[in-house]
Amino acid sequence: MQFFIKQIATQPFSAIFHTPGRIYSQLVEKDAESLRITFHNLSCIPDHIISLPIFPHSNPNICEIFLKDFYFQNKDLPSSLISSDFIDCIQRFFTNHFIIATDGSKSHCHTSIAGFSCLQQFCYRIHPLNSVFTAEVLAICQALDELVIPETDILILSDSFSALSSLKNLSFHSPKVIQRLAAKIRIRKNLHQKIALLWVPGHSGVSWNEKADFIAKQVSDFSPYIDWIASEDILSHLKKQSLQITEENYHKSKYKLLIGNIPDILTISKWTGNRVQDRLIARIISKTITTPGLLSRFNLHPDPLCRVCNEINDISHILLKCQKYASVRVILWRKLNIVSANITYDVLLSHVLVNKNHLLIFVQTLKYFDIV
């Protein structure tokens, strides 16, 4: 499903979807139905996904972007100093610019964008799956559509350092919403209109930013709605949803009763370095690491016993009791702060999964137990 979402977002350059209105007809019925269900659950349609502009740009010098060029852009300064120096900066360097302030906001109720100038303002709800990053960029895009006046240099104020930094480092790998913003700026540039973007520290007493933030937070269920949604945010949501389903399945499985409470899969997945480690930890937790003891249960190994200890040679025996690995075990126990030499498997897991550092120590030590 993630593959199809990415293909939709790369229109009109997708190898699969050339015609937006015929997306479902270009797929086999099984995939088309899965895609329909996915979009139904997301409360959107493929046409709402922010896709690449017809003429994408990779030139990072598309406009002037000021991130750390002025004294007031030091967030560690007192708010009063930031505010006063901001005013001085505008008067000295941007006297002839038409100023627009934008902001994106996300709460448990709404995700919104806002912008205002001395002439007018806007505030819209956007799809709740959109991230704050996407909201901040969409706010600038909407400002270029609604608030810009012709034949005048424009200065847009934003408190999103990440959004402006992403635009400043524009490439073909940039988020689609950044590519869209770059395309809009390019259009203005072709009309001989100069656009400048200025980062303003948020919640630092700058009146322009404070007002934009206030407007964005005034959104309600009755505010006008823009249905754009970023593919990156959809993919992030689907990944999180998949991990949550895995977590729920674990809590309903027999392993929950055998092992007990462990950190949720969302937490563990952030600690591991790659999918190989993910699978390894999952097999450790479920005791499905390939061992003679496990294989013999399925008649896949002639001897289930450990040659050193003459006990069932399963993962519990290897990690907890086998004399072959006694010296390795002593070192591992010390690193994991395990005091007792005789512990159960679930106690070992509770020490391993207490934090990222312990998990990495455990994973790195497994090779000395001949587990890879």
Side-chain angles (χ1 to χ4, degrees):
M1 193 53 56
Q2 294 186 21
F3 170 77
F4 294 130
I5 299 292
K6 290 179 180 179
Q7 290 298 313
I8 293 171
T10 55
Q11 294 181 71
F13 307 99
S14 168
I16 297 179
F17 303 127
H18 301 291
T19 308
R22 297 181 60 250
I23 286 176
Y24 295 120
S25 64
Q26 297 173 65
L27 301 175
V28 297
E29 184 54 36
K30 181 180 178 181
D31 291 334
E33 183 60 21
S34 296
L35 201 60
R36 289 190 191 97
I37 293 172
T38 298
F39 279 107
H40 174 76
N41 293 337
L42 294 173
S43 300
C44 67
I45 61 175
D47 287 349
H48 294 165
I49 291 181
I50 300 170
S51 60
L52 284 172
I54 297 176
F55 301 107
H57 302 284
S58 60
N59 182 6
N61 300 315
I62 192 168
C63 68
E64 288 186 305
I65 301 175
F66 302 97
L67 294 174
K68 296 181 178 180
D69 301 83
F70 302 106
Y71 182 64
F72 79 88
Q73 292 177 312
N74 181 356
K75 198 171 177 61
D76 294 331
L77 294 173
S79 295
S80 57
L81 193 56
I82 291 176
S83 178
S84 60
D85 195 73
F86 167 79
I87 295 173
D88 181 64
C89 173
I90 296 298
Q91 292 174 346
R92 290 180 60 191
F93 300 102
F94 302 102
T95 306
N96 298 321
H97 285 69
F98 182 75
I99 301 177
I100 298 171
T102 64
D103 194 36
S105 177
K106 189 175 183 69
S107 69
H108 66 281
C109 296
H110 301 104
T111 305
S112 61
I113 61 174
F116 83 97
S117 69
C118 60
L119 299 178
Q120 56 184 321
Q121 66 182 45
F122 66 78
C123 181
Y124 295 102
R125 287 182 300 128
I126 59 175
H127 197 288
L129 283 187
N130 283 312
S131 63
V132 173
F133 174 88
T134 300
E136 294 280 5
V137 181
L138 283 177
I140 300 174
C141 289
Q142 198 64 28
L144 289 172
D145 289 340
E146 286 195 33
L147 304 183
V148 168
I149 61 175
E151 300 179 0
T152 304
D153 291 342
I154 304 297
L155 176 66
I156 298 179
L157 311 177
S158 172
D159 64 3
S160 177
F161 191 91
S162 59
L164 299 192
S165 180
S166 181
L167 182 63
K168 192 165 187 174
N169 295 284
L170 179 68
S171 73
F172 283 113
H173 301 290
S174 297
K176 308 301 181 295
V177 69
I178 288 291
Q179 290 277 2
R180 281 283 174 179
L181 174 57
K184 288 180 180 291
I185 293 174
R186 175 69 65 178
I187 291 173
R188 294 289 171 180
K189 191 173 183 179
N190 291 340
L191 296 173
H192 306 290
Q193 190 167 34
K194 187 177 180 181
I195 304 291
L197 295 167
L198 179 65
W199 177 68
V200 179
H203 309 292
S204 298
V206 176
S207 59
W208 285 87
N209 177 254
E210 297 294 338
K211 183 174 179 179
D213 179 72
F214 175 79
I215 296 171
K217 290 178 178 176
Q218 295 306 300
V219 70
S220 70
D221 292 336
F222 303 102
S223 300
Y225 180 75
I226 294 179
D227 47 26
W228 290 116
I229 182 170
S231 61
E232 294 84 0
D233 295 330
I234 292 178
L235 296 178
S236 176
H237 170 75
L238 293 178
K239 181 179 179 181
K240 183 177 180 180
Q241 191 178 61
S242 175
L243 291 172
Q244 287 175 336
I245 292 172
T246 302
E247 175 69 10
E248 290 171 1
N249 289 339
Y250 164 73
H251 283 283
K252 296 175 183 177
S253 71
K254 62 181 180 181
Y255 301 118
K256 176 66 166 61
L257 297 175
L258 292 172
I259 300 169
N261 289 318
I262 61 172
D264 61 76
I265 197 69
L266 292 173
T267 300
I268 295 175
S269 65
K270 294 176 183 177
W271 294 348
T272 54
N274 49 55
R275 292 292 297 276
V276 173
Q277 289 187 3
D278 287 345
R279 290 194 294 268
L280 179 61
I281 294 302
R283 291 168 65 192
I284 289 288
I285 292 173
S286 59
K287 296 184 179 180
T288 54
I289 288 287
T290 303
T291 61
L294 179 65
L295 292 176
S296 67
R297 291 171 54 188
F298 303 97
N299 297 319
L300 297 174
H301 196 281
D303 185 8
L305 300 181
C306 172
R307 295 180 180 179
V308 177
C309 310
N310 202 35
E311 294 185 20
I312 298 297
N313 195 13
D314 58 14
I315 187 62
S316 295
H317 173 73
I318 292 171
L319 293 176
L320 300 177
K321 298 180 180 180
C322 186
Q323 292 303 309
K324 179 180 178 181
Y325 307 107
S327 59
V328 177
R329 191 176 300 111
V330 170
I331 296 172
L332 178 61
W333 263 224
R334 187 186 310 123
K335 290 181 178 179
L336 297 180
N337 300 321
I338 299 175
V339 178
S340 175
N342 298 314
I343 60 173
T344 60
Y345 196 75
D346 59 331
V347 171
L348 171 61
L349 288 181
S350 69
H351 282 271
V352 169
L353 300 173
V354 70
N355 57 46
K356 179 179 179 179
N357 184 48
H358 276 204
L359 179 63
L360 294 180
I361 289 172
F362 179 70
V363 170
Q364 292 166 2
T365 308
L366 286 177
K367 61 184 177 183
Y368 300 110
F369 287 95
D370 299 322
I371 298 172
V372 293

